[in-house]
Amino acid sequence: NRVKKFGTSNQAPPPPNPVFAMVHTRVYKSTSFFYVSTASITLLNATLKPISIATVGSTVYVSGSGFPKSQQYVQYVVVCFNGIVVNTAVTSSSGTFLTNFTVPEVPYGTYTVTAMATVSPVPVGDKCPSPGEAYEGGYANASLTVVPSLVVSTTTTCPSYTITVTGYGFPANTPIEVLVNGMNATVVEWSSYPSSLETSSSGTFWAVIQMPQTPGTYEISTNVTVTYNGVTYPTPVSVTVSQSAVYVNGTSSFTGYV
């Protein structure tokens, strides 16, 4: 039968019909097509220098390149921190963008910053779209470590007056003590009352402490610290206790304790 159909027994059968493979470069609405992304992002500080750490409440700039270009249509890029949308940018005609976001209240740790091209803006606070929703391969990640920081209600006060010390970016749910020149501060009110002072699930705390009676400059710190790349956080904060003064017609007539 083979000789009859193809002529000789040594004659190979004709090749099968050609098969064409289609490669999709657009990934949209959670489809699972494969793509290769050339996009990248860099995290910057206020002076536009690259960073890998930040504190709660600080501004982080995000510089992107290799994203889909805004040409005939506007091309959006959604920026997410820890899985939550924090801003939306628009790319340039060359596929670049520069935007920023404020680091939210989160405990100490390393978090993912994501930028992905989308067909429309996404409201701040919404859940970040999935990688499969990125438009035409415009997707990139970067890591940001949030470290502890301290904020005081004032940097100048009077003897025995109280100030409020607030901490951000500490390890979550951790007992903590406020120190004045390395010694336990006199705490008169605190965020976790009536239990002992400890950080919240978001790594924050506040405490009202009484400053010493003796005038001078004091260093406010905590017994809980973290070390990142050889640097210890939080950075201590200086508070100056000044002598009390009574002014008459704008002129000091008495200086000392009152």
Side-chain angles (χ1 to χ4, degrees):
N1 291 334
R2 182 178 180 86
V3 173
K4 181 178 180 181
K5 187 171 184 179
F6 301 115
T8 67
S9 59
N10 295 325
Q11 182 177 349
N17 293 330
V19 177
F20 297 96
M22 182 176 293
V23 178
H24 293 269
T25 58
R26 175 174 295 187
V27 179
Y28 180 57
K29 290 189 178 300
S30 299
T31 55
S32 59
F33 300 130
F34 174 78
Y35 66 80
V36 177
S37 175
T38 59
S40 65
I41 58 172
T42 303
L43 306 181
L44 311 167
N45 61 15
T47 59
L48 302 185
K49 293 182 179 180
I51 58 171
S52 60
I53 65 169
T55 56
V56 170
S58 64
T59 299
V60 174
Y61 289 82
V62 182
S63 174
S65 62
F67 284 81
K69 306 171 183 179
S70 287
Q71 294 179 333
Q72 184 178 1
Y73 301 100
V74 174
Q75 177 61 64
Y76 297 97
V77 174
V78 173
V79 177
C80 305
F81 174 87
N82 195 30
I84 301 297
V85 176
V86 290
N87 211 339
T88 297
V90 174
T91 64
S92 67
S93 59
S94 58
T96 63
F97 73 89
L98 178 65
T99 189
N100 63 70
F101 68 93
T102 301
V103 179
E105 289 188 9
V106 291
Y108 167 69
T110 299
Y111 298 87
T112 299
V113 178
T114 302
M116 64 174 67
T118 57
V119 295
S120 61
V122 179
V124 172
D126 277 15
K127 183 179 179 181
C128 192
S130 67
E133 295 178 274
Y135 178 71
E136 291 189 348
Y139 181 89
N141 284 330
S143 295
L144 183 70
T145 299
V146 176
V147 295
S149 61
L150 291 174
V151 177
V152 294
S153 56
T154 181
T155 56
T156 304
T157 189
C158 297
S160 300
Y161 274 41
T162 60
I163 67 170
T164 301
V165 180
T166 305
Y168 299 98
F170 283 82
N173 304 314
T174 302
I176 194 168
E177 295 177 357
V178 179
L179 309 177
V180 177
N181 281 359
M183 304 295 292
N184 287 349
T186 301
V187 181
V188 298
E189 190 177 357
W190 56 95
S191 53
S192 50
Y193 181 85
S195 61
S196 59
L197 180 61
E198 67 176 38
T199 62
S200 68
S201 59
S202 59
T204 65
F205 77 89
W206 60 263
V208 178
I209 67 171
Q210 185 176 38
M211 294 300 294
Q213 187 178 30
T214 304
T217 299
Y218 295 87
E219 186 178 85
I220 310 300
S221 60
T222 59
N223 68 323
V224 176
T225 61
V226 301
T227 301
Y228 183 83
N229 285 346
V231 180
T232 300
Y233 298 93
T235 302
V237 180
S238 294
V239 175
T240 299
V241 175
S242 301
Q243 287 184 327
S244 300
V246 176
Y247 291 87
V248 177
N249 293 330
T251 302
S252 175
S253 60
F254 173 80
T255 301
Y257 302 117
V258 295

